Amino acid sequence: MRNHFAKHQLPKTCRLWLTAALLLAAGSTQAQQAPRASLIIRNGRVLDGSGNSWFRGDVAVHQGRIVAVGRLPANFSADTVIDAKGLVVAPGFIDVHTHIEDDELRQPTADNFIYDGVTTVITGNCGSSRPDLGRYFQVLDSAKLAVNVASLIGHGDVRKAVLGRAKRQATEPELQQMEQLVARAMQAGAMGLSTGLIYIPGTYTRTPELIRLARVAGQYRGLYATHMRNEGDSVLQAIQEALLIGREASLPVQISHLKIGGQQNWGRAPQALALIEQARQAGQEVTIDQYPYTASSTSLSTIIPDDVQADGRDSLRARLQRPAVRAAVEAAMVRRLRQRGLKHYDYAVVASFPPQPSYQGLSIAEVNQRLGRKHKAAAEAATILDLVLQHDAGMVFHGMSEQDVQQIMRYPFNMVASDASVRVWQEGAPHPRGYGSNARVLGRYVRELRVISLEEAVRRMTSLPAQTFGLADRGLLRPGMAADIVVFDPATVQDRSTFEQPHQYSTGMQYVLVNGGLTVVQGKHLGTRAGQVLYGPGKH
């Protein structure tokens, strides 16, 4: 059963909670001996994560748990006392859409997330996860990261395990194999099933297969998180497909990084949100997440037509060696560019390209010119194919409007997400969202533009993600909850990462606790690694 957090205002007389466990730990009754905790945060503006307005108060922590919240008596002592005067005290932020696989062991301190106030990440998104989540969780347990980690099971990797990258529909025995893989992942503790329907092999998958596999996740009380089939011209149809899968499989739907891509589609955010709200009004559980930027980031190969990429890189290479096929592919790419109302691929910027790191930070148009080729869309399309045949570059795509970003941000069932990995310092030219998504919302969209309130922003980063993903002991400042806590300055919190200079940590997070472990003190990461693996409700 999902944990639903009520939004209500408690009377002042009820703002002090003391747990029996704390009093027992003190060795006597409150009258006989003053209560004690391992750490107390005093004098802060407490935003408990529910969406309620802040109140002046204290938070006590003992053995990794919150044990008291409110105006604590002066004789309530602790080994460590933090004076939070002028600062906001909130639950640790939960990033519901990340891709930490491959980088978490290289940078276990997860500095980019910690400095952005994130204490829990959910990975395995967009259909891409570790196929054997049981084994993956064991690795994470041994590694000890600075953040808590939960994971979805990726449909793309499940399908590859059975069908590879084949462009065909699964047979009944193959569907049953995939169902077994999803069930095994849910029993290992997956939060649900994720899809990436613009990626191979997700793009080859029809709706009935997705319903079959989502139904398995729902049987273990998981959700369906989707990078939809389209986020541009056919975004409304893609939303309808996601909602259909949720209804038919009887599980909640989480729409990943909702956006309106392509200049020709700008202004369609109200239509997209109306579909989602209609579903909610009809009783369907559906939520969304968003990163607060007008650029997306994914692989360069997404520009290439799906059909030519079937069956893997060797098949792609063989097809493109045929002049007629290559010419047809380049022509299709240019037509798609023209549909966006663009003349060049200057909206596509290289984030990472190991064969030639000097390309990082350059647009495809600039790479094309560096290669001495004509400043024509057809030549740029040829350059894209040449790059992909060497290595599938990571890209930043500038293609959204600020108006749509703000419209989507105002939607109350929208969570903040980075869609990022653990950033390795000074590696590549990545999208700044991996460094500053939460701080950007708090600084730019709350403090400067007042798109949403501070209370609402914190709710979107804490209790709403916890409720959506069933993290019953996270997301609120209440006794008994895990002591994931951030203390930040609302007047100075700010993202620093930019597209031009991405490797800059957010500022303003003065203290961060993960499971009670002090991880940031006075704005400095101590290197503490107190994160835990968080399991879904189907864990056996």
Side-chain angles (χ1 to χ4, degrees):
M1 184 174 182
R2 292 187 168 269
N3 188 28
H4 293 271
F5 303 127
K7 181 176 179 180
H8 62 280
Q9 179 64 53
L10 294 174
K12 291 183 179 179
T13 54
C14 296
R15 285 183 180 163
L16 175 60
W17 300 286
L18 295 178
T19 66
L22 176 64
L23 295 177
L24 290 172
S28 182
T29 65
Q30 188 173 1
Q32 293 170 322
Q33 185 173 340
R36 184 172 181 79
S38 56
L39 180 146
I40 295 179
I41 302 168
R42 286 197 176 273
N43 306 314
R45 290 169 54 185
V46 178
L47 275 175
D48 67 5
S50 67
N52 292 336
S53 60
W54 64 271
F55 61 90
R56 189 80 59 193
D58 316 311
V59 179
V61 173
H62 192 67
Q63 295 181 345
R65 295 274 162 180
I66 296 170
V67 293
V69 179
R71 295 182 181 273
L72 304 184
N75 67 344
F76 201 131
S77 60
D79 299 325
T80 302
V81 177
I82 294 171
D83 185 1
K85 184 177 181 180
L87 304 176
V88 167
V89 184
F93 303 153
I94 300 169
D95 191 332
V96 299
H97 191 102
T98 73
H99 297 274
I100 69 167
E101 294 89 348
D102 295 328
D103 292 323
E104 72 280 81
L105 303 183
R106 299 173 64 205
Q107 188 108 359
T109 49
D111 301 64
N112 59 307
F113 287 118
I114 290 293
Y115 279 121
D116 204 37
V118 173
T119 57
T120 296
V121 301
I122 296 173
T123 194
N125 283 283
C126 296
S128 178
S129 70
R130 289 288 181 261
D132 186 347
L133 283 183
R135 173 59 182 156
Y136 182 54
F137 291 150
Q138 290 175 355
V139 170
L140 293 180
D141 268 332
S142 300
K144 280 292 183 186
L145 307 187
V147 292
N148 303 307
V149 180
S151 183
L152 298 152
I153 179 64
H155 161 260
D157 285 284
V158 168
R159 199 175 209 267
K160 287 176 189 175
V162 178
L163 283 85
R165 294 167 64 91
K167 185 190 174 185
R168 64 175 177 82
Q169 301 313 300
T171 63
E172 180 59 31
E174 288 168 339
L175 276 170
Q176 292 177 10
Q177 282 184 263
M178 287 191 282
E179 288 175 326
Q180 291 169 5
L181 290 175
V182 173
R184 188 181 308 159
M186 296 302 297
Q187 292 166 8
M191 292 288 171
L193 175 73
S194 79
T195 56
L197 301 181
I198 71 163
Y199 305 112
I200 295 170
T203 187
Y204 302 146
T205 307
R206 294 178 184 170
T207 307
E209 176 181 314
L210 302 176
I211 292 172
R212 284 274 297 265
L213 300 184
R215 191 171 286 134
V216 175
Q219 290 168 356
Y220 291 90
R221 293 174 292 157
L223 52 68
Y224 173 67
T226 180
H227 180 151
M228 297 185 300
R229 208 173 291 276
N230 189 280
E231 297 173 321
D233 295 348
S234 301
V235 64
L236 301 184
Q237 294 92 321
I239 292 172
Q240 289 169 337
E241 180 189 36
L243 296 175
L244 173 64
I245 292 167
R247 288 195 301 271
E248 293 295 318
S250 300
L251 82 173
V253 173
Q254 166 66 18
I255 296 177
S256 299
H257 42 59
L258 183 65
K259 65 176 72 69
I260 306 297
Q263 288 81 347
Q264 74 276 21
N265 295 305
W266 288 1
R268 298 181 69 191
Q271 295 174 271
L273 294 171
L275 276 179
I276 294 165
E277 184 57 23
Q278 288 167 13
R280 287 193 63 88
Q281 291 296 326
Q284 186 168 5
E285 192 172 354
V286 54
T287 50
I288 65 175
D289 63 63
Q290 174 195 35
Y291 45 82
Y293 298 87
T294 56
S296 60
S297 182
T298 189
S299 56
L300 182 59
S301 61
T302 58
I303 294 179
I304 301 174
D306 298 331
D307 290 352
V308 76
Q309 299 186 65
D311 303 315
R313 293 184 63 82
D314 289 342
S315 297
L316 171 65
R317 190 179 304 277
R319 293 185 183 103
L320 293 180
Q321 285 175 348
R322 297 163 58 188
V325 172
R326 178 156 181 146
V329 169
E330 291 174 4
M333 293 168 64
V334 172
R335 283 196 301 272
R336 185 176 177 186
L337 181 71
R338 297 285 186 252
Q339 289 170 358
R340 294 177 66 104
L342 301 176
K343 296 181 179 180
H344 297 281
Y345 285 96
D346 47 9
Y347 77 97
V349 178
V350 179
S352 63
F353 189 65
Q356 188 55 265
S358 65
Y359 292 172
Q360 292 166 180
L362 300 180
S363 71
I364 290 296
E366 291 170 329
V367 171
N368 184 67
Q369 289 181 299
R370 177 175 286 194
L371 292 172
R373 300 176 177 179
K374 292 181 180 180
H375 188 48
K376 300 286 187 180
E380 294 165 5
T383 293
I384 290 171
L385 295 181
D386 289 341
L387 294 181
V388 170
L389 287 173
Q390 293 180 64
H391 190 280
D392 196 0
M395 302 294 294
V396 172
F397 296 109
H398 295 269
M400 294 176 272
S401 77
E402 178 66 19
Q403 182 179 358
D404 282 332
V405 168
Q406 293 189 25
Q407 186 78 32
I408 292 169
M409 190 174 294
R410 291 188 181 96
Y411 188 63
F413 301 102
N414 177 15
M415 292 162 275
V416 180
S418 68
D419 195 6
S421 185
V422 176
R423 293 293 187 228
V424 178
W425 185 249
Q426 298 296 0
E427 186 171 285
H431 195 301
R433 65 193 184 188
Y435 281 99
S437 287
N438 291 277
R440 182 173 177 81
V441 170
L442 295 172
R444 175 173 171 78
Y445 290 100
V446 171
R447 186 177 64 241
E448 297 174 9
L449 300 180
R450 300 185 179 181
V451 174
I452 56 175
S453 69
L454 180 60
E455 290 85 352
E456 180 66 2
V458 169
R459 183 185 72 86
R460 311 275 196 87
M461 300 171 182
T462 57
S463 67
L464 181 58
Q467 172 183 311
T468 301
F469 284 83
L471 302 174
D473 64 343
R474 315 273 159 173
L476 289 169
L477 296 181
R478 301 279 168 83
M481 305 293 272
D484 294 344
I485 302 172
V486 295
V487 182
F488 64 90
D489 186 345
T492 64
V493 62
Q494 190 68 57
D495 60 310
R496 299 296 178 188
S497 179
T498 65
F499 290 104
E500 296 74 23
Q501 295 182 309
H503 293 285
Q504 300 185 77
Y505 295 121
S506 295
T507 56
M509 301 296 166
Q510 296 301 308
Y511 297 88
V512 177
L513 282 75
V514 181
N515 295 307
L518 267 172
T519 306
V520 171
V521 173
Q522 295 182 348
K524 181 176 176 55
H525 196 322
L526 301 182
T528 308
R529 291 154 59 178
Q532 300 174 359
V533 173
L534 305 182
Y535 298 100
K539 168 70 173 172
H540 282 191

